[in-house]
Amino acid sequence: MKISVNFNGRNVDADVEPRKLLVDFIRDDLHLTGTHVGCDTSSCGACTILLDGVAVKSCTMFAVQANNRNITTIEGLSKGDELHRLQSAFIEEGGLQCGYCTPGMIMTSAWLLSNNAAPTEKEIRNGISGNLCRCTGYDSIIRSIQKASSDRRGGRK
Amino acid sequence: MYPPSFDYAAPDDLDEALKLLELHNEDAKIMTGGVGLINAMKHHVIKPGFLIDISRIRELGLIGDHGGYLSIGAAVKVAELQRSDLVKRNYTALSEAAGAIADPLLRNMISVGGNVCTGNPDDDLPPVFLSMDAQYILAGRNGRRVIDADGFYLGHMSTAIRPGEILVEVRVPRQTERSGSAYIKRELRQNDHLVAGVAASISLEEDGRYKRLAFGLSGSGNTSIHARLPKFTGSRPVDVPVGDIAKMVVEEASPLSDRQGSASYKRKVILVLAREALTLALQRAEQGGQK
């Protein structure tokens, strides 16, 4: 089936089998390997992307469902060499250990902050409850998101 | 994990979807959010040959106040239901149940129609719709029919939808000034399978007596359960201990022993949840309508 999808601001036309999972289309066909596959059963959130600005799990969507829609992956967050403030915050606060969950964590956080510029710690914890970090480095992930949100307000923590 | 091959269409018009359903009936599945469906397909639990994605049909994506009732389109995402100010204010239990589903990312994907139509006794919206006397609107090639939520759930994963029909809308009767509702769900850990959930929906007379009192239960048997307690109509809340009412709610439940707990443990959980949900619904009703 022919689809047309906007990926990170670039239009992509493709002919895909209806059963092709969106995450595999992103990784195998577009070679955007920043989006990860963890559980493959919609539990872990490693595959999180933005669909028309809203965070969803791309392992539980077929690529055909994204026809005529806008997708942002982790590769689409930075502007050239300039990192997104969430990416910088995760580096500065050490918001990762093995890094496998990180792209999903950052995409979910980007959606979270787009709806709530200054979330409380509880709102952050709830907000990332669909993303699992098996290193259990949650405290530093939460600090990273808090840092990015305070950066956005132009102030300090 | 991949399902066997299938064909796919995403019509933007309901008539087109109904035509496709008629054409591929036995082999077709309706997809709204797709989360439950895709997971079942990936595990080869179901193997549809044709998927009809109805999420692009505009009229199915709306929440609206229609005077006598709240109208919720089948393709509305549960995250929208959770966030809607109208729903939060007047149909509080519905907002709470929507917010209890899965996790924030999956709530952006899961639709009202999927949660309502699967017939899974663990789903969170059906008990609320049951407790509020909601109606489901089913569209077919020969027109629409209205069915009470009360008559919809026939058994485990079994509903009253007939071949060729699509759930298009849920209607919830307008809650009065002196009504209140709550949904509380118990999980062993966040986002885990539920132990049980209880929805309470009540309305009071001007003088504070119970006018209507109903409960809905999730995780409490092989189907979503509706517990109506007409014997308390006309009683004053101060005369009927909340615990006595909760005990009658438990009598309607037939929970199964599983990994989340034994049947006797679940009965105790349901008792506590019924007490908590009723107390909260009463507070909300007595505060002069839901807040």
Side-chain angles (χ1 to χ4, degrees):
Chain A
M1 185 180 162
K2 289 201 161 46
I3 59 169
S4 176
V5 186
N6 186 296
F7 278 93
N8 300 328
R10 184 169 65 94
N11 274 315
V12 173
D13 293 305
D15 194 357
V16 295
E17 233 197 303
R19 64 177 177 156
K20 181 97 177 186
L21 294 168
L22 179 58
V23 69
D24 291 338
F25 181 70
I26 292 170
R27 289 177 56 83
D28 300 346
D29 296 16
L30 302 182
H31 307 294
L32 295 171
T33 52
T35 303
H36 292 170
V37 182
C39 68
D40 199 15
T41 53
S42 68
S43 298
C44 80
C47 64
T48 304
I49 55 149
L50 304 185
L51 179 68
D52 293 333
V54 175
V56 297
K57 294 180 173 177
S58 63
C59 76
T60 310
M61 273 187 75
F62 296 118
V64 288
Q65 290 175 265
N67 190 23
N68 293 322
R69 302 184 72 171
N70 298 297
I71 284 178
T72 309
T73 66
I74 187 75
E75 291 89 346
L77 275 193
S78 58
K79 293 195 178 80
D81 289 338
E82 189 195 330
L83 292 180
H84 187 276
R85 65 178 184 285
L86 271 164
Q87 293 171 308
S88 305
F90 269 68
I91 293 169
E92 286 160 23
E93 292 293 329
L96 60 142
Q97 288 182 44
C98 84
Y100 202 87
C101 71
T102 312
M105 286 287 182
I106 290 180
M107 296 315 285
T108 296
S109 307
W111 168 67
L112 196 64
L113 295 184
S114 73
N115 284 307
N116 181 356
T120 62
E121 183 184 330
K122 193 175 173 204
E123 286 169 337
I124 293 173
R125 284 180 182 274
N126 276 324
I128 62 169
S129 63
N131 294 78
L132 303 182
C133 167
R134 288 298 79 179
C135 308
T136 69
Y138 291 108
D139 282 349
S140 54
I141 290 169
I142 289 156
R143 276 200 306 276
S144 306
I145 300 169
Q146 284 171 325
K147 181 174 178 62
S149 69
S150 47
D151 279 356
R152 165 182 246 175
R153 282 174 291 166
R156 307 255 296 267
K157 254 200 297 191
Chain B
M1 293 188 298
Y2 266 78
S5 294
F6 57 85
D7 287 321
Y8 169 92
D12 49 22
D13 164 296
L14 182 62
D15 283 337
E16 180 63 24
L18 289 167
K19 270 183 213 163
L20 286 169
L21 185 58
E22 187 176 50
L23 199 63
H24 298 277
N25 205 345
E26 291 289 298
D27 204 25
K29 277 278 175 197
I30 299 293
M31 176 160 89
T32 29
V35 172
L37 188 66
I38 293 172
N39 273 313
M41 288 171 69
K42 284 166 91 172
H43 287 97
H44 292 218
V45 175
I46 47 171
K47 301 172 187 177
F50 202 103
L51 275 194
I52 305 167
D53 180 350
I54 59 169
S55 65
R56 291 179 194 241
I57 302 173
R58 194 154 295 147
E59 61 167 296
L60 304 191
L62 306 173
I63 301 177
D65 186 355
H66 285 233
Y69 62 88
L70 172 78
S71 163
I72 307 162
V76 168
K77 302 293 185 199
V78 296
E80 293 170 53
L81 197 61
Q82 178 192 359
R83 280 196 305 262
S84 158
D85 287 331
L86 172 65
V87 176
K88 265 189 226 166
R89 197 169 54 241
N90 294 329
Y91 306 86
T92 316
L94 196 49
S95 174
E96 289 171 338
I101 295 169
D103 66 48
L105 307 180
L106 292 173
R107 289 197 288 273
N108 289 334
M109 308 172 74
I110 293 169
S111 68
V112 172
N115 200 261
V116 160
C117 285
T118 306
N120 184 335
D122 295 347
D123 281 337
D124 297 295
L125 298 183
V128 179
F129 287 140
L130 287 165
S131 73
M132 291 183 174
D133 289 332
Q135 294 183 313
Y136 298 161
I137 314 299
L138 304 170
R141 286 279 274 154
N142 300 317
R144 297 186 174 206
R145 70 180 173 112
V146 180
I147 182 167
D148 289 338
D150 188 56
F152 188 75
Y153 297 101
L154 304 180
H156 187 76
M157 307 301 253
S158 169
T159 70
I161 287 197
R162 294 179 191 143
E165 285 184 330
I166 297 175
L167 175 92
V168 290
E169 181 191 352
V170 177
R171 292 181 182 173
V172 189
R174 189 191 197 99
Q175 305 293 297
T176 62
E177 290 287 296
R178 297 181 65 78
S179 65
S181 65
Y183 179 73
I184 307 177
K185 161 163 140 174
R186 187 73 80 241
E187 301 161 311
L188 295 179
R189 31 193 111 56
Q190 189 165 3
N191 299 349
D192 200 352
H193 283 285
L194 87 172
V195 177
V198 174
S201 176
I202 64 162
S203 57
L204 303 175
E205 301 283 5
E206 284 290 309
D207 64 3
R209 291 168 195 272
Y210 280 122
K211 186 175 178 185
R212 208 183 135 274
L213 178 61
F215 292 80
L217 310 179
S218 50
S220 303
N222 67 358
T223 186
S224 305
I225 290 169
H226 189 188
R228 273 184 296 195
L229 302 175
K231 71 172 276 194
F232 296 109
T233 303
S235 312
R236 291 189 309 166
V238 287
D239 295 334
V240 201
V242 162
D244 289 359
I245 297 174
K247 276 182 199 152
M248 296 194 62
V249 173
V250 177
E251 282 171 24
E252 302 291 319
S254 39
L256 309 167
S257 295
D258 60 22
R259 279 181 300 174
Q260 317 312 322
S262 66
S264 67
Y265 165 68
K266 288 185 184 182
R267 281 179 197 282
K268 286 177 187 151
V269 170
I270 295 164
L271 180 73
V272 172
L273 296 182
R275 227 157 45 201
E276 289 176 359
L278 177 57
T279 303
L280 205 51
L282 257 174
Q283 276 170 12
R284 286 169 177 167
E286 283 167 351
Q287 281 159 11
Q290 311 211 354
K291 289 277 152 28

